[in-house]
Amino acid sequence: MNTSNNIRAFQQAMPTTITKQRLFTDITRRLAWGTDAGFYRKIPQLVIHPTSEEEIRTLLKNANDTATPVTFRAAGTSLSGQAISDSVLIVVGKLWEKYRIHDNGETISLQPGIVGSRVNEILKPFDRIFSPDPASLNSAMVGGIIINNASGKSCGIHANSDRILLSARIIFADGTLLDTADEQSKAAFQATHPEFIQTLLELRDEIRQNKALSDRIRYKYNIKNVTGLNILPFITFDDPFDIITHLLVGSEGTLAFLAEATVSTEPEMHFKASAMLYLKDIKYACEVVQKLKHTPVTGVELLDRKALQSVEGKEGMPDYLPQLAPGVTALLIETKANTEDELLHQIEAIELCIGEFETVLPASFTQDENVYNVWWAIRSGIFPSVGGMREPGTTTLIEDVAFHMEDLAEATSELQQLLEKYNYTDSVIYGHALEGNFHFIINQRFDSNAEVARYESLMKDVVELVTEKYDGSLKAEHGTGRNMAPFVEKEWGSEAFFIMQKVKKLFDPNNILNPGVIFNDNPDCFISDFKPLPLTNPHVDKCIECGFCEVNCLTSGFTLSSRQRIVIQREITRLKQSNENPEVLHELEKGYKYLGNATCAGDGLCATSCPMGINTGHLTHDVRHASLPTGSFGWNIGNFAANHFAGIKTGLRSVLTLANFAHTVMGSKNMTYLCNEANKMGLPLWTTAMPKAHKIHLNKLQIKASELKVVYFPSCINQSMGVHKDSPEQTPLSDKMTGLFQKAGYEVIFPEEMEKMCCGTIWESKGMYDIADRKTEELEAALWKASEQGKYPVVCDQSPCLYRMKEKITKMKLYEPVEFIETYLVDQLEFHPINEPIAIHTTCSMTKMGLKNTLVRLANRCSSNVLLPSEIGCCGFAGDKGFTTPEVNKYALRKLHPQIEANGIKKGYSNSRTCEIGLTTNSGIPYMSIVYLVDQCTTAKKNH
């Protein structure tokens, strides 16, 4: 069915609204989007990013008419091969993030591209939560969560997607739109699809009249189960539209497209406590779980000894973990309540139960969220952490099973024995023990027939154990995908499987929706199309492509994400090693130059949500380094600039002066037009936010002597750039900083020859590591002298510069302004907060230095109305990217202006001059250093 002619016919009927910016045919983006968190790979022939229901309707109708298979993808965090395609891939991610709140937050309508944790941010003011809580909640999107029926540690089967879904906007394979909350829409569907409704009702009645089948369905869904299609709605609901709505849950894109889901929410419980229990072995731990099931616990997570080993040494984990015996298994227990008294009573009841069992170490509950948040964060990162420990050349596979509670201890013990039988010595068992749902992880090679046969034999034995011996679930929450498609009938039996086939035929008669997923005629599909993971760069070789990084990658959805950059570099490496397809290699290298290299900010925020702490910015710097080897033309230019840095600054000031003169003469409108046209021709972009020239004249500064001393190094940016023409403040930052220090009673010391000094960040970002380190060493020597060998604190006014300085210079106390003010100046100043609403922006470097909360705290000292805009990470200016690739800066800040406007904000504050240029340009308000705000809102204390 999947032929070039089908694709060609489909493409010819493409909606005219879908432009080339949202239709990808190049191999670079097809490969990038064709890769998800699973261990299979198929490369789509087309990747489409639609923006509306109307476009989806047209696409599906065309696909149906031309027999062209289509697959939908949201975040790409699924693990079983259900979001990949070798035909047409339709991405519904960052362009599908709208929502509507109803009933004071008790219900909410969600498009499929909203990240799960973002829903909880939206609901927070209403004291409500989105109940499904998979470990990937911070990355997975609502569409994937519902369509896979992903659940998690707490929601079990009582609050999963099937239970909370109220209605849906659904687009069928023939392009028909149905809103199951709208009576007119339902009536119209019934009129146009009477046979569909009739067949659905006949299936419902057929199931209900078959007592054995009905009983089996109820039994199978007493535990988590997402194997095959969800046929529980035929038992649960009478109304055909309710059945249609809920059939979509767990359907993995094989039945229809979920354009919007309206779900109920749960009240947030604010009183929580957790405990970590250590027990002698996994079977004994499961026996404890069987007892805990009858206590007021809300979640119990099991971590076997290998799982614990994967997190040994991580922040917050106990030092005694390495000393635990080989078989020791941990249970991470959580309980929640509405009141403190209720929580204490629950803890007492749980501890009474635990007291019946012998623990390896004494156990106790903690209500300290700083402690238990670390535990739960580590639990969420088990899969990637284990994957990061794998041998080079292996693939990390995760399987997902569930047993009925009465079978849990025996079944789990036998599962562990199976893994030992097949010599998976580094395998891990962990998961949602309270629901009888365990994941097991293996690191597997597929480079020989023997290794593939070993995996095949293991999986077939697992299938026998789960289905034949214990009648459990082969897939509890990760989706059937391609991984378990050959075994759906074996788990469910022929009667139930035949019902599923009928449902598929009813919804998708031409089998265009995600073919090969759930229903697959190839019995070996679970051992086909494995994803290669060649070694490519030591900074990223541990990446398992889970996608957790993408929420913090500013170009995700725009060019390439951090995960996709690694994917492309791995394929480039593989093709170089194999010499199998030089044309594809050339196209990938060519495509990567802009999509991967030029548009990467190198900010490193991706590492903050990567369980392995992988910073794809390091990969980018290495790629740039390889293109600028020592002695090359580009390197020589960089070296010349480093050796004549004072002169470079002088030249920059001349350019800024000339630009400011032209701006004054021509006016903002004409200057903007001219500069936009010049940028289209490849010149750096000038905007009205560009500052005027500035030079520090130390002989003009009135420095007062004091016992309190601080060394102040103005960054090279702030030595050269002042404020922009229309800034509400016309005092350059270096002067403002000096004045604030003196107001607080500090004598300011400047390092010698600072006109030629730089921290080295400029060269590091270009991959010129040797030059960058040389400049840092020069600066370190000057600061060491100025601080009298580290006697006085050192402040740099640009947070990105300070970040590199802290990484490279360790023998002095280095501070950026916010940290220094909070540490040293707060006690020296009187704060007089203003009522004016203000916005603040946390730079990447501040986030990585852990100073986000410090910035918020300082801003709250100064204003009673502080906005930290949501969903704004790295601004994308990245030193010079805002000049050379301003489209990145614009995309990164696309959600800023509406929030500024909605909150009536007139001024914004941050801690990086270049970031402030981009923030000003894209927000419509001036952004300045937080130092200006502090100076405005403070006076010197009278006793000082």
Side-chain angles (χ1 to χ4, degrees), residues 359-399:
T359 58
V360 173
L361 295 169
S364 62
F365 277 89
T366 178
Q367 296 182 54
D368 185 344
E369 62 179 309
N370 293 321
V371 175
Y372 66 65
N373 279 347
V374 171
W375 293 345
W376 288 105
I378 287 170
R379 158 60 189 90
S380 296
I382 287 290
F383 172 47
S385 294
V386 173
M389 295 169 61
R390 73 187 190 280
E391 275 187 45
T394 62
T395 299
T396 299
L397 312 185
I398 182 169
E399 302 298 342

mmCIF file of all heavy atoms in Angstrom, residues 359-399:
data_model
loop_
_atom_site.group_PDB
_atom_site.id
_atom_site.type_symbol
_atom_site.label_atom_id
_atom_site.label_comp_id
_atom_site.label_asym_id
_atom_site.label_seq_id
_atom_site.Cartn_x
_atom_site.Cartn_y
_atom_site.Cartn_z
ATOM 1 N N THR A 359 12.684 -4.914 57.874
ATOM 2 C CA THR A 359 13.345 -4.066 56.885
ATOM 3 C C THR A 359 14.857 -4.114 57.076
ATOM 4 O O THR A 359 15.352 -4.369 58.181
ATOM 5 C CB THR A 359 12.872 -2.604 56.995
ATOM 6 O OG1 THR A 359 13.138 -2.120 58.311
ATOM 7 C CG2 THR A 359 11.383 -2.502 56.722
ATOM 8 N N VAL A 360 15.574 -3.860 56.004
ATOM 9 C CA VAL A 360 17.038 -3.866 56.060
ATOM 10 C C VAL A 360 17.542 -2.683 56.873
ATOM 11 O O VAL A 360 18.505 -2.793 57.633
ATOM 12 C CB VAL A 360 17.619 -3.820 54.630
ATOM 13 C CG1 VAL A 360 19.137 -3.643 54.658
ATOM 14 C CG2 VAL A 360 17.239 -5.079 53.869
ATOM 15 N N LEU A 361 16.870 -1.543 56.743
ATOM 16 C CA LEU A 361 17.215 -0.327 57.473
ATOM 17 C C LEU A 361 15.944 0.244 58.090
ATOM 18 O O LEU A 361 14.848 0.005 57.578
ATOM 19 C CB LEU A 361 17.835 0.714 56.528
ATOM 20 C CG LEU A 361 19.181 0.363 55.876
ATOM 21 C CD1 LEU A 361 19.511 1.364 54.782
ATOM 22 C CD2 LEU A 361 20.280 0.326 56.919
ATOM 23 N N PRO A 362 16.058 0.963 59.185
ATOM 24 C CA PRO A 362 14.862 1.585 59.770
ATOM 25 C C PRO A 362 14.190 2.506 58.753
ATOM 26 O O PRO A 362 14.854 3.211 57.992
ATOM 27 C CB PRO A 362 15.421 2.391 60.954
ATOM 28 C CG PRO A 362 16.739 1.755 61.258
ATOM 29 C CD PRO A 362 17.278 1.256 59.963
ATOM 30 N N ALA A 363 12.857 2.506 58.730
ATOM 31 C CA ALA A 363 12.107 3.321 57.765
ATOM 32 C C ALA A 363 11.303 4.382 58.494
ATOM 33 O O ALA A 363 10.750 4.129 59.567
ATOM 34 C CB ALA A 363 11.175 2.427 56.954
ATOM 35 N N SER A 364 11.238 5.555 57.903
ATOM 36 C CA SER A 364 10.411 6.622 58.472
ATOM 37 C C SER A 364 9.950 7.544 57.361
ATOM 38 O O SER A 364 10.611 7.684 56.326
ATOM 39 C CB SER A 364 11.199 7.417 59.527
ATOM 40 O OG SER A 364 12.315 8.045 58.923
ATOM 41 N N PHE A 365 8.810 8.171 57.568
ATOM 42 C CA PHE A 365 8.249 9.100 56.594
ATOM 43 C C PHE A 365 8.853 10.491 56.772
ATOM 44 O O PHE A 365 9.209 10.885 57.887
ATOM 45 C CB PHE A 365 6.733 9.188 56.753
ATOM 46 C CG PHE A 365 5.987 8.081 56.050
ATOM 47 C CD1 PHE A 365 5.726 6.878 56.692
ATOM 48 C CD2 PHE A 365 5.555 8.243 54.743
ATOM 49 C CE1 PHE A 365 5.049 5.861 56.048
ATOM 50 C CE2 PHE A 365 4.874 7.239 54.091
ATOM 51 C CZ PHE A 365 4.619 6.037 54.745
ATOM 52 N N THR A 366 8.933 11.196 55.659
ATOM 53 C CA THR A 366 9.341 12.606 55.709
ATOM 54 C C THR A 366 8.310 13.454 54.983
ATOM 55 O O THR A 366 7.760 13.046 53.958
ATOM 56 C CB THR A 366 10.721 12.839 55.067
ATOM 57 O OG1 THR A 366 11.029 14.244 55.113
ATOM 58 C CG2 THR A 366 10.756 12.393 53.613
ATOM 59 N N GLN A 367 8.030 14.631 55.547
ATOM 60 C CA GLN A 367 7.166 15.594 54.888
ATOM 61 C C GLN A 367 7.976 16.711 54.228
ATOM 62 O O GLN A 367 7.419 17.660 53.687
ATOM 63 C CB GLN A 367 6.187 16.207 55.900
ATOM 64 C CG GLN A 367 5.218 15.201 56.503
ATOM 65 C CD GLN A 367 4.244 15.860 57.452
ATOM 66 O OE1 GLN A 367 3.554 16.813 57.105
ATOM 67 N NE2 GLN A 367 4.188 15.351 58.694
ATOM 68 N N ASP A 368 9.287 16.573 54.285
ATOM 69 C CA ASP A 368 10.179 17.577 53.701
ATOM 70 C C ASP A 368 10.224 17.365 52.184
ATOM 71 O O ASP A 368 10.815 16.408 51.692
ATOM 72 C CB ASP A 368 11.576 17.434 54.304
ATOM 73 C CG ASP A 368 12.532 18.526 53.829
ATOM 74 O OD1 ASP A 368 12.212 19.207 52.824
ATOM 75 O OD2 ASP A 368 13.598 18.682 54.445
ATOM 76 N N GLU A 369 9.605 18.278 51.449
ATOM 77 C CA GLU A 369 9.514 18.090 50.001
ATOM 78 C C GLU A 369 10.879 18.162 49.328
ATOM 79 O O GLU A 369 11.081 17.579 48.258
ATOM 80 C CB GLU A 369 8.551 19.080 49.371
ATOM 81 C CG GLU A 369 8.909 20.526 49.509
ATOM 82 C CD GLU A 369 7.887 21.429 48.815
ATOM 83 O OE1 GLU A 369 7.592 21.184 47.633
ATOM 84 O OE2 GLU A 369 7.367 22.338 49.477
ATOM 85 N N ASN A 370 11.833 18.859 49.938
ATOM 86 C CA ASN A 370 13.173 18.893 49.362
ATOM 87 C C ASN A 370 13.817 17.513 49.370
ATOM 88 O O ASN A 370 14.625 17.189 48.504
ATOM 89 C CB ASN A 370 14.061 19.872 50.135
ATOM 90 C CG ASN A 370 13.613 21.309 49.969
ATOM 91 O OD1 ASN A 370 13.201 21.703 48.878
ATOM 92 N ND2 ASN A 370 13.674 22.091 51.034
ATOM 93 N N VAL A 371 13.432 16.709 50.343
ATOM 94 C CA VAL A 371 13.957 15.347 50.425
ATOM 95 C C VAL A 371 13.192 14.423 49.487
ATOM 96 O O VAL A 371 13.770 13.746 48.635
ATOM 97 C CB VAL A 371 13.876 14.817 51.881
ATOM 98 C CG1 VAL A 371 14.320 13.351 51.932
ATOM 99 C CG2 VAL A 371 14.742 15.665 52.801
ATOM 100 N N TYR A 372 11.854 14.394 49.624
ATOM 101 C CA TYR A 372 11.122 13.408 48.830
ATOM 102 C C TYR A 372 11.019 13.779 47.356
ATOM 103 O O TYR A 372 10.866 12.895 46.504
ATOM 104 C CB TYR A 372 9.754 13.084 49.432
ATOM 105 C CG TYR A 372 8.699 14.153 49.473
ATOM 106 C CD1 TYR A 372 8.142 14.691 48.317
ATOM 107 C CD2 TYR A 372 8.176 14.592 50.695
ATOM 108 C CE1 TYR A 372 7.138 15.644 48.366
ATOM 109 C CE2 TYR A 372 7.161 15.551 50.760
ATOM 110 C CZ TYR A 372 6.656 16.066 49.579
ATOM 111 O OH TYR A 372 5.647 17.005 49.620
ATOM 112 N N ASN A 373 11.144 15.039 47.019
ATOM 113 C CA ASN A 373 11.144 15.405 45.595
ATOM 114 C C ASN A 373 12.351 14.825 44.873
ATOM 115 O O ASN A 373 12.271 14.452 43.695
ATOM 116 C CB ASN A 373 11.118 16.926 45.427
ATOM 117 C CG ASN A 373 9.722 17.504 45.572
ATOM 118 O OD1 ASN A 373 8.738 16.776 45.561
ATOM 119 N ND2 ASN A 373 9.632 18.815 45.707
ATOM 120 N N VAL A 374 13.469 14.759 45.585
ATOM 121 C CA VAL A 374 14.669 14.144 45.003
ATOM 122 C C VAL A 374 14.406 12.665 44.743
ATOM 123 O O VAL A 374 14.742 12.131 43.682
ATOM 124 C CB VAL A 374 15.890 14.326 45.926
ATOM 125 C CG1 VAL A 374 17.066 13.501 45.436
ATOM 126 C CG2 VAL A 374 16.277 15.791 46.008
ATOM 127 N N TRP A 375 13.789 11.978 45.692
ATOM 128 C CA TRP A 375 13.483 10.553 45.519
ATOM 129 C C TRP A 375 12.615 10.330 44.293
ATOM 130 O O TRP A 375 12.878 9.456 43.473
ATOM 131 C CB TRP A 375 12.761 9.999 46.758
ATOM 132 C CG TRP A 375 13.590 9.956 48.000
ATOM 133 C CD1 TRP A 375 14.940 10.079 48.093
ATOM 134 C CD2 TRP A 375 13.113 9.792 49.332
ATOM 135 N NE1 TRP A 375 15.336 9.997 49.400
ATOM 136 C CE2 TRP A 375 14.235 9.817 50.183
ATOM 137 C CE3 TRP A 375 11.849 9.611 49.900
ATOM 138 C CZ2 TRP A 375 14.126 9.667 51.565
ATOM 139 C CZ3 TRP A 375 11.745 9.461 51.263
ATOM 140 C CH2 TRP A 375 12.868 9.490 52.099
ATOM 141 N N TRP A 376 11.540 11.129 44.183
ATOM 142 C CA TRP A 376 10.613 10.919 43.082
ATOM 143 C C TRP A 376 11.209 11.343 41.753
ATOM 144 O O TRP A 376 10.916 10.736 40.710
ATOM 145 C CB TRP A 376 9.293 11.645 43.345
ATOM 146 C CG TRP A 376 8.492 10.966 44.424
ATOM 147 C CD1 TRP A 376 8.325 11.369 45.712
ATOM 148 C CD2 TRP A 376 7.790 9.719 44.309
ATOM 149 N NE1 TRP A 376 7.552 10.464 46.408
ATOM 150 C CE2 TRP A 376 7.207 9.448 45.573
ATOM 151 C CE3 TRP A 376 7.589 8.823 43.274
ATOM 152 C CZ2 TRP A 376 6.448 8.304 45.808
ATOM 153 C CZ3 TRP A 376 6.835 7.680 43.509
ATOM 154 C CH2 TRP A 376 6.270 7.425 44.757
ATOM 155 N N ALA A 377 12.050 12.355 41.773
ATOM 156 C CA ALA A 377 12.721 12.758 40.530
ATOM 157 C C ALA A 377 13.655 11.653 40.058
ATOM 158 O O ALA A 377 13.749 11.371 38.851
ATOM 159 C CB ALA A 377 13.501 14.056 40.738
ATOM 160 N N ILE A 378 14.326 11.020 40.990
ATOM 161 C CA ILE A 378 15.219 9.926 40.635
ATOM 162 C C ILE A 378 14.422 8.751 40.084
ATOM 163 O O ILE A 378 14.798 8.117 39.099
ATOM 164 C CB ILE A 378 16.069 9.517 41.850
ATOM 165 C CG1 ILE A 378 17.129 10.599 42.104
ATOM 166 C CG2 ILE A 378 16.718 8.161 41.657
ATOM 167 C CD1 ILE A 378 17.876 10.466 43.393
ATOM 168 N N ARG A 379 13.283 8.468 40.725
ATOM 169 C CA ARG A 379 12.418 7.390 40.213
ATOM 170 C C ARG A 379 11.996 7.688 38.773
ATOM 171 O O ARG A 379 12.021 6.806 37.910
ATOM 172 C CB ARG A 379 11.182 7.243 41.123
ATOM 173 C CG ARG A 379 9.968 6.583 40.495
ATOM 174 C CD ARG A 379 10.228 5.169 40.002
ATOM 175 N NE ARG A 379 9.108 4.660 39.225
ATOM 176 C CZ ARG A 379 8.973 4.783 37.916
ATOM 177 N NH1 ARG A 379 9.901 5.413 37.215
ATOM 178 N NH2 ARG A 379 7.932 4.268 37.296
ATOM 179 N N SER A 380 11.654 8.932 38.493
ATOM 180 C CA SER A 380 11.231 9.295 37.139
ATOM 181 C C SER A 380 12.361 9.122 36.130
ATOM 182 O O SER A 380 12.106 8.898 34.946
ATOM 183 C CB SER A 380 10.739 10.745 37.107
ATOM 184 O OG SER A 380 9.586 10.897 37.897
ATOM 185 N N GLY A 381 13.579 9.231 36.588
ATOM 186 C CA GLY A 381 14.719 9.158 35.675
ATOM 187 C C GLY A 381 15.410 7.818 35.625
ATOM 188 O O GLY A 381 16.491 7.707 35.037
ATOM 189 N N ILE A 382 14.791 6.771 36.191
ATOM 190 C CA ILE A 382 15.439 5.459 36.212
ATOM 191 C C ILE A 382 15.753 4.966 34.804
ATOM 192 O O ILE A 382 16.876 4.552 34.505
ATOM 193 C CB ILE A 382 14.565 4.416 36.945
ATOM 194 C CG1 ILE A 382 14.587 4.664 38.457
ATOM 195 C CG2 ILE A 382 15.049 2.998 36.665
ATOM 196 C CD1 ILE A 382 15.891 4.350 39.136
ATOM 197 N N PHE A 383 14.760 5.014 33.921
ATOM 198 C CA PHE A 383 14.969 4.486 32.573
ATOM 199 C C PHE A 383 16.130 5.181 31.865
ATOM 200 O O PHE A 383 17.065 4.523 31.383
ATOM 201 C CB PHE A 383 13.674 4.591 31.768
ATOM 202 C CG PHE A 383 13.812 4.258 30.311
ATOM 203 C CD1 PHE A 383 14.487 3.124 29.897
ATOM 204 C CD2 PHE A 383 13.263 5.082 29.343
ATOM 205 C CE1 PHE A 383 14.616 2.815 28.555
ATOM 206 C CE2 PHE A 383 13.386 4.788 27.998
ATOM 207 C CZ PHE A 383 14.067 3.651 27.600
ATOM 208 N N PRO A 384 16.140 6.513 31.789
ATOM 209 C CA PRO A 384 17.272 7.163 31.132
ATOM 210 C C PRO A 384 18.590 6.947 31.882
ATOM 211 O O PRO A 384 19.640 6.841 31.260
ATOM 212 C CB PRO A 384 16.877 8.640 31.119
ATOM 213 C CG PRO A 384 15.392 8.637 31.257
ATOM 214 C CD PRO A 384 15.092 7.479 32.146
ATOM 215 N N SER A 385 18.535 6.877 33.212
ATOM 216 C CA SER A 385 19.768 6.687 33.982
ATOM 217 C C SER A 385 20.386 5.325 33.681
ATOM 218 O O SER A 385 21.595 5.204 33.482
ATOM 219 C CB SER A 385 19.485 6.806 35.479
ATOM 220 O OG SER A 385 19.085 8.111 35.811
ATOM 221 N N VAL A 386 19.543 4.307 33.641
ATOM 222 C CA VAL A 386 20.035 2.968 33.313
ATOM 223 C C VAL A 386 20.561 2.963 31.880
ATOM 224 O O VAL A 386 21.616 2.388 31.590
ATOM 225 C CB VAL A 386 18.926 1.917 33.493
ATOM 226 C CG1 VAL A 386 19.392 0.550 32.987
ATOM 227 C CG2 VAL A 386 18.530 1.814 34.959
ATOM 228 N N GLY A 387 19.819 3.626 30.980
ATOM 229 C CA GLY A 387 20.258 3.707 29.593
ATOM 230 C C GLY A 387 21.612 4.386 29.458
ATOM 231 O O GLY A 387 22.431 3.999 28.630
ATOM 232 N N GLY A 388 21.841 5.372 30.296
ATOM 233 C CA GLY A 388 23.109 6.080 30.245
ATOM 234 C C GLY A 388 24.279 5.255 30.737
ATOM 235 O O GLY A 388 25.433 5.570 30.457
ATOM 236 N N MET A 389 23.988 4.176 31.475
ATOM 237 C CA MET A 389 25.048 3.305 31.999
ATOM 238 C C MET A 389 25.352 2.133 31.070
ATOM 239 O O MET A 389 26.213 1.318 31.354
ATOM 240 C CB MET A 389 24.631 2.767 33.371
ATOM 241 C CG MET A 389 24.483 3.820 34.447
ATOM 242 S SD MET A 389 23.691 3.163 35.938
ATOM 243 C CE MET A 389 24.855 1.885 36.407
ATOM 244 N N ARG A 390 24.622 2.048 29.960
ATOM 245 C CA ARG A 390 24.770 0.882 29.093
ATOM 246 C C ARG A 390 26.147 0.827 28.433
ATOM 247 O O ARG A 390 26.823 1.845 28.302
ATOM 248 C CB ARG A 390 23.690 0.899 28.019
ATOM 249 C CG ARG A 390 23.916 1.933 26.950
ATOM 250 C CD ARG A 390 22.739 2.034 25.995
ATOM 251 N NE ARG A 390 23.049 2.862 24.843
ATOM 252 C CZ ARG A 390 23.034 4.174 24.841
ATOM 253 N NH1 ARG A 390 22.704 4.819 25.946
ATOM 254 N NH2 ARG A 390 23.339 4.856 23.753
ATOM 255 N N GLU A 391 26.511 -0.361 27.976
ATOM 256 C CA GLU A 391 27.751 -0.521 27.231
ATOM 257 C C GLU A 391 27.631 0.193 25.893
ATOM 258 O O GLU A 391 26.556 0.181 25.281
ATOM 259 C CB GLU A 391 28.016 -2.009 26.967
ATOM 260 C CG GLU A 391 28.727 -2.723 28.087
ATOM 261 C CD GLU A 391 29.084 -4.141 27.665
ATOM 262 O OE1 GLU A 391 29.581 -4.314 26.529
ATOM 263 O OE2 GLU A 391 28.837 -5.054 28.448
ATOM 264 N N PRO A 392 28.707 0.795 25.423
ATOM 265 C CA PRO A 392 28.659 1.423 24.097
ATOM 266 C C PRO A 392 28.240 0.406 23.034
ATOM 267 O O PRO A 392 28.685 -0.742 23.047
ATOM 268 C CB PRO A 392 30.111 1.887 23.879
ATOM 269 C CG PRO A 392 30.662 2.052 25.257
ATOM 270 C CD PRO A 392 30.016 0.994 26.083
ATOM 271 N N GLY A 393 27.339 0.838 22.152
ATOM 272 C CA GLY A 393 26.892 -0.044 21.083
ATOM 273 C C GLY A 393 25.635 -0.828 21.400
ATOM 274 O O GLY A 393 25.097 -1.517 20.534
ATOM 275 N N THR A 394 25.154 -0.737 22.640
ATOM 276 C CA THR A 394 23.923 -1.440 22.995
ATOM 277 C C THR A 394 22.739 -0.479 22.954
ATOM 278 O O THR A 394 22.903 0.734 23.029
ATOM 279 C CB THR A 394 24.016 -2.065 24.401
ATOM 280 O OG1 THR A 394 24.204 -1.020 25.371
ATOM 281 C CG2 THR A 394 25.148 -3.058 24.496
ATOM 282 N N THR A 395 21.544 -1.061 22.843
ATOM 283 C CA THR A 395 20.303 -0.296 22.851
ATOM 284 C C THR A 395 19.561 -0.589 24.143
ATOM 285 O O THR A 395 19.494 -1.753 24.571
ATOM 286 C CB THR A 395 19.410 -0.700 21.656
ATOM 287 O OG1 THR A 395 20.112 -0.409 20.445
ATOM 288 C CG2 THR A 395 18.102 0.052 21.668
ATOM 289 N N THR A 396 19.019 0.438 24.757
ATOM 290 C CA THR A 396 18.253 0.255 25.985
ATOM 291 C C THR A 396 16.788 -0.003 25.646
ATOM 292 O O THR A 396 16.145 0.814 25.004
ATOM 293 C CB THR A 396 18.367 1.497 26.888
ATOM 294 O OG1 THR A 396 19.733 1.675 27.239
ATOM 295 C CG2 THR A 396 17.550 1.325 28.152
ATOM 296 N N LEU A 397 16.288 -1.149 26.086
ATOM 297 C CA LEU A 397 14.899 -1.524 25.845
ATOM 298 C C LEU A 397 14.149 -1.544 27.162
ATOM 299 O O LEU A 397 14.672 -1.996 28.184
ATOM 300 C CB LEU A 397 14.811 -2.912 25.203
ATOM 301 C CG LEU A 397 15.721 -3.202 24.011
ATOM 302 C CD1 LEU A 397 15.407 -4.578 23.448
ATOM 303 C CD2 LEU A 397 15.550 -2.162 22.930
ATOM 304 N N ILE A 398 12.914 -1.076 27.129
ATOM 305 C CA ILE A 398 12.084 -1.101 28.326
ATOM 306 C C ILE A 398 10.785 -1.822 28.007
ATOM 307 O O ILE A 398 10.119 -1.510 27.025
ATOM 308 C CB ILE A 398 11.819 0.316 28.881
ATOM 309 C CG1 ILE A 398 10.990 0.241 30.165
ATOM 310 C CG2 ILE A 398 11.170 1.208 27.844
ATOM 311 C CD1 ILE A 398 10.910 1.545 30.926
ATOM 312 N N GLU A 399 10.475 -2.811 28.799
ATOM 313 C CA GLU A 399 9.216 -3.537 28.661
ATOM 314 C C GLU A 399 8.323 -3.187 29.841
ATOM 315 O O GLU A 399 8.783 -2.650 30.858
ATOM 316 C CB GLU A 399 9.469 -5.042 28.585
ATOM 317 C CG GLU A 399 10.384 -5.455 27.439
ATOM 318 C CD GLU A 399 9.837 -5.122 26.065
ATOM 319 O OE1 GLU A 399 8.621 -4.876 25.946
ATOM 320 O OE2 GLU A 399 10.623 -5.084 25.109
#
